């Protein structure tokens, strides 16, 4: 059994509390205040973490369990370079932003189902599940979003107070009290609610599993890793771009008039008998149809699953009888490795492992944003590994 409780502090950059002078590069020289204003009430960011776990072994180490539960809470998070009003005499500011929590389970199972003098089969399974929550933002701010993830259309990685840190926010349809989409009676097109950003998806999967199998027969071994994910949403912005430009297969039957499912916003939408939409749309004469019927958030694909063969390696170790003849080499292996050889998924795009940004994007990152992304390539590697 094991357990730990830890608290770690994080400070801001130097000279963040009070204003300081810096050399002026303008004519006449001298000193002046910098762009960053003072933060007289700035407090250190504190993170408190709890972890409890156990490690169990059975059947002479033929089967093992390693389980961990963890929880972290960060308060007074430090956000740098908040833009100020120029009337303050400064441009940027450092301040304490809010609070967040992370918790989850990590489970590892290892076993050796078969073992004899010539053959051995080892199995290693890793299970992870993580949950997050944004518990507080300063003042009356209700959403924190990363502008670098506002790539294409009105969908971005945004976190709302009391919601997960991994959500998408965007514009949703206007709806009646029954949840039906409201239709403009003049155009027959759905009406977007552009006054508020709402949560329209969540990238966080239900769980992730990594399953490794290793088969060893004398000097020959085969090892492969299956990457399994259950749940989590992906924004297929590539498909939206193709659709609104008439390049997607879903636009092929454009000769057929369409009627959008919903109720008319005619004053009866919240009554017991709302008016069902019956306005046909001629796609040849309504160029705004595709962008209206398929707004950006409708391309967030829900509950994306996958099974991916991450890598497989076939290795041959030279027999000891041969290596004894070579005095300066103690061990020699010849191997071939294949990576990402197959993918099974319900995602309609090229690859659900998409990241719309580089690794430099902080916060919740840009994972789950697929806009012009290439799929992970297949790879074949041949190699020799020697021990001297």
């Amino acid at each position: 059994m094991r357990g730990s409780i830890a608290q770690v502090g994080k400070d801001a950059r130097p000279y963040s509390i009070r204003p300081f002078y810096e050399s002026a590069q303008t004519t006449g020289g001298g000193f002046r205040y910098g762009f960053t204003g003072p933060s007289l009430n700035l407090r250190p960011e504190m993170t408190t973490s709890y972890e409890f776990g156990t490690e169990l072994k059975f059947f002479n180490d033929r089967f093992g369990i390693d389980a961990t539960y963890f929880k972290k809470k960060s308060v007074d998070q430090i956000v740098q370079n908040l833009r100020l009003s120029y009337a303050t005499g400064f441009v940027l500011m450092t301040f304490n932003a809010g609070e967040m929590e992370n918790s989850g389970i990590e489970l590892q199972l290892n076993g050796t189902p078969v073992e004899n003098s010539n053959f051995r089969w080892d199995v290693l399974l890793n299970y992870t599940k993580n949950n997050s929550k944004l518990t507080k933002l300063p003042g009356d701010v209700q959403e924190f979003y990363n502008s670098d993830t506002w790539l294409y259309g009105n969908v971005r990685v945004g976190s709302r107070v009391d919601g997960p840190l991994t959500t998408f926010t965007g514009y949703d349809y206007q709806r009646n009290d029954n949840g039906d989409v409201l239709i403009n009676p003049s155009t027959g097109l759905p009406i977007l609610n552009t006054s508020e950003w709402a949560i329209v998806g969540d990238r966080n999967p239900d769980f992730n599993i990594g399953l490794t199998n290793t088969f060893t027969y004398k000097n020959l071994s085969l090892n492969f890793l299956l990457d399994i994910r259950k749940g989590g949403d992906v924004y297929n912005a590539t498909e939206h771009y193709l659709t609104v430009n008439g390049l997607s297969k879903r636009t092929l039957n454009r000769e057929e008039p369409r009627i959008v499912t919903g109720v008319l916003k005619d004053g009866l939408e919240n009554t017991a008998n709302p008016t069902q939409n019956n306005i046909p749309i001629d796609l040849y004469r309504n160029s705004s149809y595709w962008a209206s019927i398929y707004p950006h958030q409708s391309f967030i694909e829900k509950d994306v699953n996958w099974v991916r063969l991450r890598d497989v390696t076939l290795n041959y170790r030279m027999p000891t009888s041969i290596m004894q003849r070579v005095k300066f080499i103690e061990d020699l292996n010849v191997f071939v490795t294949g990576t990402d050889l197959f993918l099974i998924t319900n995602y309609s795009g090229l690859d659900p492992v998409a990241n719309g940004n580089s690794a430099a994007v902080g916060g919740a990152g840009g994972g789950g944003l697929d806009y012009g992304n290439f799929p992970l390539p297949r790879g074949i590697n041949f190699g020799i590994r020697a021990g001297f």
Side-chain angles (χ1 to χ4, degrees), residues 320-329:
T320 304
S321 58
I322 296 178
M323 300 312 303
Q324 289 177 347
R325 304 174 187 176
V326 184
K327 303 299 182 182
F328 61 92
I329 298 179

Side-chain angles (χ1 to χ4, degrees), residues 331-357:
D331 186 57
L332 183 64
N333 293 265
V334 180
F335 65 89
V336 57
T337 298
T339 58
D340 291 291
L341 297 185
F342 75 78
L343 169 66
I344 302 173
T345 180
N346 60 343
Y347 180 59
S348 68
L350 293 179
D351 196 329
V353 180
N355 192 329
N357 298 102

Side-chain angles (χ1 to χ4, degrees), residues 132-388:
S132 61
K133 184 179 181 181
L134 179 63
T135 56
K136 183 180 179 182
L137 284 174
D140 59 352
V141 178
Q142 293 299 310
E143 179 184 350
F144 172 80
Y145 72 91
N146 192 320
S147 60
D148 288 339
T149 64
W150 201 345
L151 295 170
Y152 178 74
N154 289 319
V155 171
R156 62 195 182 194
V157 174
S159 303
R160 309 280 296 190
V161 175
D162 292 329
L165 295 164
T166 52
T167 50
F168 291 115
T169 57
Y171 293 149
D172 198 3
Y173 295 114
Q174 291 187 22
R175 300 176 184 270
N176 64 1
D177 295 341
N178 195 40
D180 300 315
V181 175
L182 296 182
I183 306 297
N184 187 331
S186 300
T187 64
L189 296 175
I191 306 172
L192 279 180
N193 180 9
T194 58
S195 62
E196 180 183 0
W197 289 79
I199 292 178
V200 292
D202 189 354
R203 301 170 297 153
N204 188 42
D206 299 334
F207 59 82
N208 289 288
I209 292 177
L211 179 61
T212 302
N213 283 270
T214 303
F215 302 94
T216 305
Y217 178 72
K218 295 184 178 180
N219 292 336
L220 186 67
S221 66
L222 176 67
N223 173 279
F224 64 89
L225 169 62
L226 291 175
D227 177 18
I228 304 169
R229 188 178 98 155
K230 174 68 170 62
D233 303 338
V234 178
Y235 174 36
N236 192 349
T238 303
E239 179 64 16
H240 181 274
Y241 177 87
L242 296 173
T243 299
V244 298
N245 286 280
L247 302 173
S248 171
K249 289 184 177 180
R250 69 178 70 195
T251 67
L252 287 176
N253 57 341
R254 60 193 69 183
E255 296 85 359
E256 177 185 341
R258 306 289 182 90
I259 297 178
V260 181
T261 302
V263 299
L264 297 181
K265 190 177 182 180
D266 56 359
L268 302 175
E269 59 269 17
N270 289 316
T271 64
N273 296 300
T275 307
Q276 297 296 320
N277 179 36
N278 58 358
I279 303 174
I281 298 176
D282 186 350
L283 305 189
Y284 278 125
R285 294 173 174 81
N286 193 329
S287 60
S288 63
Y289 171 81
W290 297 112
S292 299
I293 190 60
Y294 290 124
H296 300 93
Q297 81 277 3
S298 63
F299 287 83
I300 296 176
E301 300 192 21
K302 304 290 186 176
D303 298 322
V304 174
N305 310 315
W306 72 62
V307 177
R308 180 189 302 270
L309 182 60
R310 278 291 183 182
D311 59 70
V312 55
T313 299
L314 182 63
N315 183 87
Y316 181 73
R317 182 180 182 182
M318 293 297 178
T320 304
S321 58
I322 296 178
M323 300 312 303
Q324 289 177 347
R325 304 174 187 176
V326 184
K327 303 299 182 182
F328 61 92
I329 298 179
E330 183 176 341
D331 186 57
L332 183 64
N333 293 265
V334 180
F335 65 89
V336 57
T337 298
T339 58
D340 291 291
L341 297 185
F342 75 78
L343 169 66
I344 302 173
T345 180
N346 60 343
Y347 180 59
S348 68
L350 293 179
D351 196 329
V353 180
N355 192 329
N357 298 102
S358 69
V361 174
L369 293 168
D370 183 7
Y371 180 42
N373 292 82
F374 289 106
L376 294 177
R378 290 192 182 100
I380 301 293
N381 302 294
F382 301 89
I384 298 175
R385 183 172 57 253
F388 298 95

